[in-house]
Amino acid sequence: AVAEVKLRDDQYTLDHMRAFGMYNYLHLDSWYQDNVYYVDQFGRVMNLSVTLDTALQKPREVFRLPTDLTAYDNRLCASIHFSSSTWVTLSDGTGRLYLIKSGKRGNSASEKWEIVFNEELGSAFIIAHSVSFVKSDTHSVAVLLLRVEKDELDTKGSGFHITLEWVTIAEISKEGDHRYEIFKRRVLQGKSVPHYAAIEPSGDGLMIVSYKPFKFMQDEDDKLEENDDAKATNETKDPLYYWQQTEDDVTITVHIPQDITKDDIKVHFSPDNIRVTLKDQPPLMEGKLYSSVDHESCTWIIKENKSLEISLIKKNEGPRWPELIVGDTRGEFIMDSSQCSEITESLMHLTSEVMNPNPEKENPPCNAQELEECDAFLEDGASLCRFDGDTLKVTHVINLGSNQYLFSVVVDPREMPCFCLRHDVDALLWQPHSDQPENMWEHIATFNALGYVQASKQDKKFMACAPDYSYAALCECLRRIFIYRQPTPLSTVLYNRKEGRQVGQVAKQLVATLEANDPILGFQATSERLFVLTTKTLFLIKVNSGN
């Protein structure tokens, strides 16, 4: 049976459920077609590779974890990630990481899993992602480890925080002796389990989609160095204020000291200028605004988290302001969901039959009133961040707003995993290109109406799509699998009577019901079939016939 690890009583938060309770125990090896792995209760890594012309083989053992896992009380599930066509990272769930040279996989003749590195890395983790790369003639493997850790300082929240540890293991050659050692360890911390976290193929950066932001935790030495740097140049300071804008207003957020009260704050608005002063100090912000405002309608309030929020109403609706105060570089502009919707609108021709930028006309592309209860999702506003591996700073932030994260999928194993976001009723698949700053996220496929359909499936556990985009699929916790094919041309003519128009293509929905009473633990889609894992059975569903 599959080595399922149930949540313990002290793993009671939504984050524990997301990271470990909803863990996908079936691992797809994207480097070889139709090749899946799972770990069984004896700590054996079992492989099933399907070749078209043969009958189904039994799963075969490719590796056995050296530790007796039953002896550990506080372990997590074992996790695997395929870093390249010949390298694998493996965790036994006790806090130990194995780096394995596997040979070419999926074929018992050339496959031999041998451990080249294994080390205890602290508390238990699961592997979120890994990549293998060669830089200046040195082979390295970078791994991302996910932990949910108790946070003694967090008295108001869940009492836990999430860490992502970015470990780089590199080949060291000393006097003809080749071995692998840890080259770098860095930790990011956040307050929610990331929906998506992946290292760039070159090992130079990291992309994370999460509801709450992550940031690098620095060592004491780094902090001291940074303080010295800050004295030398003032450029490393945090922004003095953050600002966002819509077509008709601008919102500015300024963090203010704890001891400042409402009476200490003076904000002066005029049609073209703004001035903010605290107590009797020199103005905190002062200068000419980029464009005129309706100064009598501008307001300010103090938020609970001790920040001052200022709202400016633009005199001329529409045009974007490239800066807030002319010549002032101390603020940072944050993209908000309306900017994202502009991007979405420029993609609207990909997702809707009729271009309709004018909502006054009939049939607006999306009407919020039409959304149903199941369309509302708790986390309004995840963000996509890219971190630079050298500076550990965020280089890109995109607020995803109402574009709900749905799932991720590997289309090309040499690239980063793609992620699928809900755009109105559809679902759009995005491929990150870390090496193309001008085309960092490319829209590569659309699943019509999937955004709408998945929202009604309250019991869904896993979602996936075929790497060739021919279908998307989701499964519930028990038994039921839904498969949504892409539209295909019809051989016969079909009329839509209501609208009196001819329909050229139809997209089919299929439902499969498994003959199993055990919950679904793993779910993977390939271009031809779906693999579904329960505790005791691995089901294969043929979706497309091989060409």
Side-chain angles (χ1 to χ4, degrees):
V2 177
E4 180 188 4
V5 178
K6 299 243 184 350
L7 291 180
R8 303 187 303 269
D9 290 348
D10 60 348
Q11 296 175 315
Y12 51 81
T13 68
L14 179 62
D15 286 316
H16 286 102
M17 188 66 199
R18 281 217 162 121
F20 314 130
M22 301 284 279
Y23 186 73
N24 194 339
Y25 284 84
L26 190 60
H27 305 278
L28 180 68
D29 181 355
S30 304
W31 302 87
Y32 300 93
Q33 201 180 348
D34 290 67
N35 206 22
V36 292
Y37 293 78
Y38 64 91
V39 180
D40 74 7
Q41 285 175 344
F42 297 118
R44 299 182 301 180
V45 178
M46 305 297 286
N47 162 248
L48 181 80
S49 38
V50 184
T51 43
L52 294 176
D53 43 5
T54 57
L56 272 182
Q57 308 286 317
K58 276 205 168 103
R60 62 190 179 96
E61 176 184 339
V62 291
F63 183 77
R64 192 176 293 219
L65 286 164
T67 38
D68 173 20
L69 300 179
T70 49
Y72 288 85
D73 292 339
N74 289 351
R75 72 185 186 92
L76 300 170
C77 50
S79 51
I80 306 175
H81 194 271
F82 299 97
S83 322
S84 80
S85 58
T86 53
W87 289 93
V88 183
T89 49
L90 179 59
S91 150
D92 58 9
T94 69
R96 184 170 284 277
L97 177 70
Y98 296 90
L99 176 59
I100 290 169
K101 197 171 183 176
S102 64
K104 286 203 161 57
R105 298 184 294 271
N107 166 358
S108 45
S110 58
E111 184 165 5
K112 184 180 181 310
W113 289 38
E114 93 187 75
I115 301 172
V116 295
F117 167 93
N118 97 67
E119 211 165 296
E120 194 69 52
L121 294 180
S123 60
F125 56 82
I126 55 174
I127 297 173
H129 189 242
S130 66
V131 293
S132 157
F133 56 94
V134 175
K135 206 178 255 170
S136 50
D137 294 341
T138 302
H139 175 245
S140 303
V141 173
V143 197
L144 215 45
L145 315 177
L146 174 73
R147 296 181 174 97
V148 180
E149 296 182 329
K150 200 129 191 60
D151 188 339
E152 303 302 341
L153 302 171
D154 180 17
T155 49
K156 286 194 175 142
S158 66
F160 291 89
H161 61 234
I162 316 304
T163 63
L164 276 173
E165 185 175 6
W166 182 358
V167 181
T168 308
I169 301 162
E171 186 177 18
I172 313 278
S173 304
K174 283 184 188 153
E175 293 123 39
D177 174 29
H178 288 283
R179 64 168 193 274
Y180 282 80
E181 286 181 5
I182 290 183
F183 169 65
K184 228 184 227 174
R185 289 179 74 165
R186 291 159 299 183
V187 176
L188 293 110
Q189 195 174 303
K191 293 298 280 181
S192 70
V193 168
H195 296 304
Y196 172 99
I199 304 166
E200 296 174 355
S202 59
D204 291 334
L206 191 63
M207 288 187 197
I208 297 175
V209 176
S210 63
Y211 167 45
K212 292 187 173 157
F214 273 78
K215 62 171 187 289
F216 274 102
M217 305 310 291
Q218 289 168 322
D219 302 337
E220 292 305 312
D221 307 349
D222 292 358
K223 280 189 180 153
L224 293 172
E225 275 177 33
E226 193 157 273
N227 289 344
D228 296 344
D229 291 352
K231 285 173 195 158
T233 68
N234 286 336
E235 284 172 31
T236 53
K237 274 190 185 167
D238 278 343
L240 177 66
Y241 57 88
Y242 294 89
W243 63 289
Q244 292 175 287
Q245 61 176 321
T246 65
E247 296 210 336
D248 32 50
D249 60 30
V250 174
T251 308
I252 309 162
T253 308
V254 189
H255 286 285
I256 50 177
Q258 290 290 331
D259 55 349
I260 295 286
T261 64
K262 195 171 179 185
D263 301 333
D264 299 331
I265 300 175
K266 301 250 182 318
V267 183
H268 175 72
F269 301 111
S270 71
D272 298 306
N273 286 274
I274 185 171
R275 184 170 71 248
V276 180
T277 45
L278 305 181
K279 283 192 173 166
D280 306 323
Q281 300 166 5
L284 190 65
M285 294 169 61
E286 183 177 29
K288 182 178 184 325
L289 293 165
Y290 173 77
S291 183
S292 302
V293 293
D294 178 357
H295 64 289
E296 285 170 358
S297 306
C298 297
T299 55
W300 61 272
I301 54 166
I302 296 182
K303 302 285 281 248
E304 289 152 25
N305 60 355
K306 269 299 180 188
S307 64
L308 166 66
E309 188 173 289
I310 303 169
S311 299
L312 307 177
I313 308 300
K314 294 182 181 177
K315 198 129 201 182
N316 308 319
E317 283 183 23
R320 296 248 165 266
W321 291 14
E323 56 183 342
L324 177 66
I325 296 172
V326 178
D328 186 349
T329 56
R330 296 171 305 161
E332 186 174 308
F333 176 61
I334 298 174
M335 272 276 220
D336 91 335
S337 50
S338 69
Q339 275 85 33
C340 295
S341 67
E342 269 202 4
I343 297 169
T344 313
E345 238 162 65
S346 66
L347 298 170
M348 198 57 104
H349 65 283
L350 299 170
T351 63
S352 120
E353 298 242 325
V354 210
M355 273 292 274
N356 190 359
N358 180 359
E360 300 305 312
K361 286 189 195 158
E362 56 190 342
N363 287 341
C366 170
N367 177 355
Q369 272 84 35
E370 285 175 9
L371 293 179
E372 295 164 40
E373 194 178 340
C374 62
D375 287 313
F377 64 108
L378 293 167
E379 305 179 347
D380 202 19
S383 58
L384 163 61
C385 294
R386 181 194 176 267
F387 291 86
D388 182 286
D390 292 330
T391 63
L392 309 187
K393 295 268 192 288
V394 176
T395 59
H396 298 70
V397 182
I398 293 179
N399 183 334
L400 299 177
S402 59
N403 298 124
Q404 179 188 0
Y405 173 89
L406 299 178
F407 61 89
S408 72
V409 58
V410 176
V411 166
D412 176 351
R414 291 177 299 273
E415 295 262 14
M416 295 178 79
C418 302
F419 50 85
C420 188
L421 303 179
R422 179 175 178 176
H423 287 249
D424 189 7
V425 297
D426 300 330
L428 269 61
L429 197 60
W430 298 89
Q431 171 69 67
H433 297 291
S434 52
D435 52 348
Q436 301 175 27
E438 298 307 307
N439 187 26
M440 186 85 75
W441 294 283
E442 182 192 1
H443 166 243
I444 56 169
T446 300
F447 295 101
N448 294 303
L450 181 64
Y452 180 75
V453 174
Q454 61 79 35
S456 66
K457 304 285 182 276
Q458 300 280 301
D459 294 335
K460 70 171 175 286
K461 185 169 184 182
F462 298 119
M463 274 185 92
C465 76
D468 63 0
Y469 335 126
S470 57
Y471 68 92
L474 62 88
C475 72
E476 298 186 336
C477 298
L478 271 171
R479 289 195 200 92
R480 285 204 302 175
I481 318 262
F482 298 86
I483 299 165
Y484 305 101
R485 292 184 183 279
Q486 288 283 26
T488 48
L490 289 169
S491 51
T492 55
V493 175
L494 191 66
Y495 277 98
N496 179 329
R497 288 188 185 159
K498 196 171 155 195
E499 297 174 19
R501 65 187 173 87
Q502 190 173 324
V503 177
Q505 43 182 17
V506 161
K508 288 186 178 153
Q509 168 186 324
L510 312 169
V511 183
T513 305
L514 306 181
E515 292 174 18
N517 296 323
D518 301 314
I520 294 176
L521 295 180
F523 190 67
Q524 294 289 355
T526 66
S527 298
E528 288 181 22
R529 31 182 94 68
L530 267 171
F531 294 84
V532 187
L533 183 71
T534 67
T535 319
K536 302 190 186 68
T537 318
L538 177 58
F539 292 89
L540 270 74
I541 300 171
K542 189 82 184 260
V543 183
N544 293 321
S545 51
N547 297 332

